Amino acid sequence: MSGWVAVAGLGPGADELVTPEVMQALAEATDLIGYFPYVARVADRPGLVRHGSDNRVELERAAHALELAAAGKQVVVASSGDPGVFAMASALFEALEAGPAEWRLLDIRILPGITAMLAAAARAGSPLGHDFCAINLSDNLKPWALIERRLRLAAQADFAMAFYNPRSKARPEGFARALDILRQECGPDRLILFARAVSTPEEELRVVRLGDAGAEMADMRTMVILGSSHSRLIERPGSPILYTPRWTE
Amino acid sequence: MSGWVAVAGLGPGADELVTPEVMQALAEATDLIGYFPYVARVADRPGLVRHGSDNRVELERAAHALELAAAGKQVVVASSGDPGVFAMASALFEALEAGPAEWRLLDIRILPGITAMLAAAARAGSPLGHDFCAINLSDNLKPWALIERRLRLAAQADFAMAFYNPRSKARPEGFARALDILRQECGPDRLILFARAVSTPEEELRVVRLGDAGAEMADMRTMVILGSSHSRLIERPGSPILYTPRWTE
């Protein structure tokens, strides 16, 4: 059996942020699977069958990839950012664990990529330069009470915090509630970054104080990073630099 | 003034995990600065001046890079992994903030890379597929009490945890204390990954239960990832898969 599955991280958007390892897997694939906009990021070529699918069908997509590989295909599952961070890798393993035993014999590789928080942090400066956490603010797959608990504990730990999926049309109110909780825990002066569509032509960065932050500053393409109590702004001509020093007192 | 500084993430070790953006900056640089082993990872070429330096001189190295750029040089500061995660980006901004005002006019870019936790997670499966935190276990720049507090709060938040710099010759006892705290908070059955020298010929992965984990399982080249209470093992021929599902009950 020559089939394999590679779950590949395409990074945040720019081609220059895609690793050679991922490019190689894409060059060898017979089948490309993924959410429509991610599949659309890969150039077409003869011999590559494209299977775009809708959002929120991660498990079906994962099972489809494993079925194709079991049938001898070389399958790339395209993921935005890094596949292991709020993306397709865990969905693939959920499908694997629930599926037929022979799937466990397949050659499965996860190919890392530049996840959104690293790209956003790099464009703004270095807000994740000290201890930090990453929280998915979507409550599709976990209760809101758990999100709230994690926000409070992370604030008490004085982590910088990277927020994925801050806001969607289906959940317009969640992010506003998250900002309220963070203001209670961290106060109005804490720095917060809104980084939209990083590394694409639509890129837009904005750093404000938590007291001035509003839920409308984020959409589905926005990565939000809250600084720790030590995060600082360096003012300069043009955009300021947001960074978190390596030390604490 | 044509000088610039790019703090570039070389990824965990393999060339195929270095982004084209970083390769381009290395091709354009006049000067390469960094910790000796990272500078050694970049191929020599005519016209590139190499400035290797010792460990623990991050601020001096950063100031050197800024001085060279102010003098018109094109400077790459080589960082392992991602420069914004426990690496050179924050040191550069510390030096920038403390330095002469004209440095703030310099063209400074942070070029993201595949940080160790993403590479290690990808090789093991998908242990960071749900909310997680990243903690530097070195107490060079922060008090041990803060590390302990963060470990306990992160356990209470049920984050998966990625540990950078778990163990060094200078601090042999810190990691053993960290494991004790984690056993108290998470119990002996929690899964823990030791991933050494990922993506290099010396790569070695080991997944054990916290009750069986020992400090000697890590050295300076080891990335340690503790699962959340939901992390699971998929047994199969060869090495098992460690992953954290996207859902919680």
Side-chain angles (χ1 to χ4, degrees):
Chain A
M1 186 171 61
S2 60
W4 49 255
V5 179
V7 189
L10 299 182
D15 288 346
E16 63 186 2
L17 294 178
V18 182
T19 67
E21 183 181 59
V22 166
M23 292 307 292
Q24 183 66 28
L26 289 169
E28 291 170 358
T30 58
D31 292 76
L32 175 64
I33 289 187
Y35 178 40
F36 283 119
Y38 305 154
V39 166
R41 282 180 51 193
V42 177
D44 213 356
R45 64 170 165 77
L48 180 67
V49 183
R50 304 158 75 88
H51 310 265
S53 50
D54 219 335
N55 211 349
R56 299 211 184 178
V57 292
E58 289 83 3
L59 273 182
E60 295 86 331
R61 189 188 295 146
H64 186 201
L66 291 161
E67 281 160 12
L68 286 172
K73 302 292 188 182
Q74 284 93 50
V75 184
V76 167
V77 180
S79 211
S80 166
D82 179 273
V85 178
F86 311 125
M88 278 300 297
S90 284
L92 189 95
F93 294 128
E94 290 170 33
L96 180 72
E97 197 175 10
E102 59 264 31
W103 281 1
R104 300 190 184 198
L105 305 177
L106 289 170
D107 174 4
I108 299 172
R109 290 172 297 151
I110 309 298
L111 310 184
I114 304 294
T115 185
M117 69 178 168
L118 299 187
R123 299 297 276 183
S126 181
L128 304 177
H130 194 77
D131 300 338
F132 65 93
C133 65
I135 299 178
N136 185 347
L137 288 184
S138 165
D139 59 356
N140 286 341
L141 294 161
K142 66 186 164 194
W144 174 260
L146 180 62
I147 296 175
E148 174 163 343
R149 178 173 159 75
R150 285 189 175 147
L151 292 175
R152 293 194 189 278
L153 288 165
Q156 289 159 26
D158 200 16
F159 284 128
M161 303 181 209
F163 300 122
Y164 286 75
N165 302 315
R167 198 154 182 256
S168 73
K169 280 181 194 155
R171 304 167 287 103
E173 74 297 342
F175 185 51
R177 289 161 70 184
L179 289 175
D180 283 342
I181 290 165
L182 294 169
R183 269 188 289 265
Q184 289 167 22
E185 297 285 338
C186 306
D189 294 333
R190 184 66 58 89
L191 292 163
I192 186 168
L193 164 71
F194 294 85
R196 184 168 186 280
V198 165
S199 89
T200 77
E202 294 83 42
E203 177 175 306
E204 211 176 328
L205 296 188
R206 188 169 179 185
V207 179
V208 300
R209 302 277 169 183
L210 204 39
D212 301 319
E216 74 288 351
M217 293 178 185
D219 66 14
M220 278 303 278
R221 299 185 70 192
T222 309
M223 181 78 220
V224 179
I225 298 180
L226 181 75
S228 78
S229 69
H230 289 82
S231 298
R232 305 169 64 83
L233 267 191
I234 304 179
E235 297 292 348
R236 57 169 187 170
S239 52
I241 293 164
L242 173 66
Y243 86 103
T244 307
R246 300 162 304 149
W247 43 264
T248 60
E249 67 281 350
Chain B
M1 187 171 58
S2 60
W4 50 255
V5 180
V7 189
L10 298 182
D15 288 345
E16 64 187 2
L17 294 178
V18 183
T19 67
E21 182 182 58
V22 166
M23 292 307 292
Q24 183 66 29
L26 289 169
E28 292 170 357
T30 58
D31 292 76
L32 175 64
I33 288 187
Y35 178 39
F36 283 119
Y38 306 154
V39 166
R41 282 179 51 193
V42 177
D44 215 355
R45 63 169 166 78
L48 180 67
V49 183
R50 304 158 75 86
H51 311 265
S53 50
D54 219 334
N55 212 348
R56 299 210 184 180
V57 292
E58 289 83 3
L59 273 182
E60 295 87 329
R61 189 188 295 145
H64 187 201
L66 291 161
E67 280 160 13
L68 286 172
K73 301 292 188 182
Q74 284 92 49
V75 185
V76 168
V77 179
S79 210
S80 168
D82 179 273
V85 178
F86 311 126
M88 278 301 297
S90 284
L92 189 94
F93 294 127
E94 291 170 34
L96 180 72
E97 196 174 9
E102 58 265 31
W103 281 0
R104 300 190 184 197
L105 305 177
L106 288 170
D107 174 3
I108 299 172
R109 290 172 298 150
I110 308 299
L111 310 185
I114 304 293
T115 185
M117 69 178 170
L118 299 187
R123 299 297 275 183
S126 181
L128 304 177
H130 194 78
D131 300 337
F132 66 93
C133 65
I135 299 178
N136 185 347
L137 288 184
S138 166
D139 60 356
N140 285 341
L141 294 162
K142 66 187 163 193
W144 173 261
L146 180 62
I147 296 176
E148 175 164 341
R149 179 173 157 76
R150 285 188 175 149
L151 292 175
R152 292 193 190 279
L153 288 165
Q156 289 158 27
D158 201 16
F159 284 127
M161 304 181 209
F163 300 122
Y164 285 74
N165 302 314
R167 198 155 180 256
S168 72
K169 281 181 193 156
R171 304 167 287 103
E173 73 299 340
F175 185 50
R177 288 160 70 187
L179 289 175
D180 283 341
I181 290 165
L182 294 169
R183 270 188 289 264
Q184 289 167 24
E185 298 285 339
C186 307
D189 294 334
R190 185 65 57 90
L191 293 162
I192 185 168
L193 164 70
F194 294 86
R196 185 170 185 280
V198 166
S199 90
T200 77
E202 294 84 41
E203 177 175 306
E204 211 176 328
L205 296 187
R206 190 170 178 184
V207 179
V208 300
R209 302 277 169 183
L210 203 40
D212 300 320
E216 74 287 354
M217 293 178 184
D219 65 13
M220 278 303 278
R221 298 186 71 191
T222 308
M223 180 79 220
V224 179
I225 297 180
L226 182 75
S228 78
S229 69
H230 289 83
S231 298
R232 305 170 63 84
L233 267 190
I234 304 179
E235 296 293 346
R236 57 168 189 171
S239 53
I241 292 164
L242 173 65
Y243 87 102
T244 306
R246 300 162 303 149
W247 43 265
T248 61
E249 67 282 349

